[in-house]
Amino acid sequence: MRKRREKENSGFNVWRSYSDMMAGVLLLFVLIMCVSLFQAQVSYENSLKERDEKLFLQEEYTKEIMSQQDIMENQQSQLSSQDELLAAQKKQLDELAAKLAAQQEKLDAQSVTLADQQSALEEKTTQLADQQARIDKIIGVKADVIEALKQEFAANNINVVIDETTGSMVMDSSVLFDYNETDLTGEGQTVLSSVLPIYCSVLMQEEYFPYLAEIIIDGYTDSSGGYEYNLELSQRRSLAVAEYLLNLSQNFLDTENQEKLKERLTVNGHSSSNLVLDENGNENAEASRRVEVKFRLKDEEMIEELRSILDT
């Protein structure tokens, strides 16, 4: 708008200069006419006395007047040219004003677009901040749960390895089951009765349970035998552990929490997938035959998705 006003003021100054110039020319014309009339009057009075001389002088004055007329015509022509030039300049100024108006309109539209984009960016930033807060909360809760599990097992003098990242607890199938069997051994029941109550009691604590999505029991086998056979074997073994846990829960959970445990409990059989390999890349069959107990917190899928995006 400021540039537009400056352009308009510039056009106004041009017209004012033009008006001043025209007034000057008119004043010059009037002065010339006054001088001419005065000289004519003097010439006329002198002609009465000296007619012969006056005739000669009159001719000279006539030539001078004609010369002045030519000058005035030239000046008039110059003024006409200047008028045409001013008209052309005014046209250019009008075109520039139209362009400036169009550009201003475009800038206004861009300003609206930028404002919308800024609003969308601020909204997205707020969403990302909220998601980051949720992620930090989930990550913090998971770290707290894993640390609580480790401390609780240590307090009970039970040597259990808890994965620092997933919080999973791995149990050797050879301890829980006889080879190719799905019924828990006496030793296996003893092991489960010592570790499962501690593991589940920590997860069912009031500060952690609202974030708990699943308690997962996964069964795995080695690569010997067919895939379908191993799939059924791994499923039946993980189911046997789950059934033992539910029966055992009557000893360390009240009725309400027993129902909550059932709602969160998930059982999977994975056959011979995800084999455990030794340092040379060969299958460790004994380690591959295992049962894993782990947990999943709510919104972990979102965290994993964001991690995959950040890793790409």
Side-chain angles (χ1 to χ4, degrees):
M1 292 300 295
R2 182 178 179 182
K3 292 184 178 179
R4 184 174 181 181
R5 291 194 188 100
E6 290 177 355
K7 292 294 183 177
E8 291 176 353
N9 290 336
S10 176
F12 176 76
N13 290 335
V14 170
W15 281 107
R16 186 170 63 182
S17 298
Y18 173 74
S19 299
D20 293 340
M21 183 180 66
M22 289 297 295
V25 171
L26 181 59
L27 180 59
L28 177 62
F29 177 77
V30 171
L31 290 174
I32 292 172
M33 290 300 297
C34 289
V35 170
S36 298
L37 290 174
F38 176 76
Q39 291 176 348
Q41 181 65 30
V42 172
S43 178
Y44 176 73
E45 291 175 353
N46 290 334
S47 65
L48 295 175
K49 298 177 181 179
E50 300 176 354
R51 179 170 297 178
D52 293 338
E53 293 179 0
K54 182 60 180 175
L55 289 174
F56 176 78
L57 292 173
Q58 187 175 8
E59 289 178 358
E60 293 297 322
Y61 286 138
T62 300
K63 292 178 181 180
E64 184 177 354
I65 290 173
M66 293 299 295
S67 176
Q68 293 291 335
Q69 184 66 33
D70 291 339
I71 292 173
M72 291 182 61
E73 289 178 355
N74 290 333
Q75 291 178 343
Q76 185 64 37
S77 177
Q78 291 177 358
L79 289 174
S80 298
S81 298
Q82 290 178 349
D83 288 342
E84 293 176 357
L85 179 60
L86 289 173
Q89 291 176 343
K90 183 179 182 303
K91 182 178 180 182
Q92 291 178 351
L93 289 174
D94 291 340
E95 291 175 353
L96 287 174
K99 289 181 180 179
L100 287 174
Q103 290 177 349
Q104 184 62 44
E105 184 178 356
K106 186 177 181 180
L107 286 174
D108 292 341
Q110 290 177 344
S111 298
V112 172
T113 302
L114 288 174
D116 293 340
Q117 291 176 346
Q118 181 65 30
S119 177
L121 180 60
E122 291 175 354
E123 182 178 355
K124 189 66 176 179
T125 301
T126 301
Q127 291 177 353
L128 289 175
D130 292 341
Q131 289 179 347
Q132 184 63 47
R134 291 172 61 190
I135 290 172
D136 293 341
K137 182 66 175 179
I138 293 297
I139 292 175
V141 170
K142 189 167 188 176
D144 291 344
V145 171
I146 293 173
E147 184 61 27
L149 287 170
K150 292 167 61 179
Q151 292 180 0
E152 192 66 24
F153 280 116
N156 287 273
N157 295 319
I158 298 177
N159 186 18
V160 174
V161 178
I162 303 296
D163 188 276
E164 295 284 350
T165 303
T166 63
S168 65
M169 176 176 62
V170 180
M171 291 171 289
D172 193 341
S173 288
S174 62
V175 176
L176 302 179
F177 306 95
D178 291 329
Y179 188 74
N180 279 344
E181 294 296 331
T182 59
D183 293 329
L184 289 169
T185 64
E187 183 182 3
Q189 292 179 6
T190 301
V191 170
L192 293 178
S193 63
S194 64
V195 298
L196 290 180
I198 296 176
Y199 194 90
C200 293
S201 293
V202 171
L203 293 173
M204 300 293 290
Q205 289 179 12
E206 184 177 353
E207 63 265 38
Y208 303 136
F209 185 77
Y211 301 98
L212 181 65
E214 288 181 296
I215 298 176
I216 305 168
I217 301 176
D218 289 329
Y220 298 89
T221 68
D222 59 24
S223 62
S224 62
Y227 178 84
E228 292 82 0
Y229 175 81
N230 285 331
L231 178 62
E232 182 180 1
L233 180 63
S234 62
Q235 288 175 336
R236 292 178 64 184
R237 283 182 171 179
S238 59
L239 182 59
V241 174
E243 290 175 344
Y244 187 78
L245 170 61
L246 293 176
N247 291 328
L248 194 64
S249 66
Q250 301 173 20
N251 300 328
F252 64 91
L253 293 177
D254 58 27
T255 303
E256 181 181 357
N257 282 324
Q258 289 177 41
E259 293 301 319
K260 291 181 179 179
L261 176 61
K262 292 178 183 179
E263 293 173 358
R264 298 293 194 277
L265 191 59
T266 300
V267 178
N268 300 311
H270 298 279
S271 187
S272 57
S273 62
N274 198 17
L275 296 172
V276 177
L277 306 179
D278 60 21
E279 58 186 11
N280 297 319
N282 300 317
E283 176 188 354
N284 185 333
E286 184 176 353
S288 296
R289 297 190 296 271
R290 66 197 186 278
V291 174
E292 292 185 7
V293 180
K294 60 185 179 181
F295 64 90
R296 182 179 66 82
L297 300 181
K298 295 176 182 178
D299 293 337
E300 281 195 3
E301 294 89 345
M302 179 188 68
I303 297 174
E304 292 302 323
E305 181 179 353
L306 289 176
R307 282 178 175 168
S308 65
I309 293 173
L310 293 174
D311 291 339
T312 55

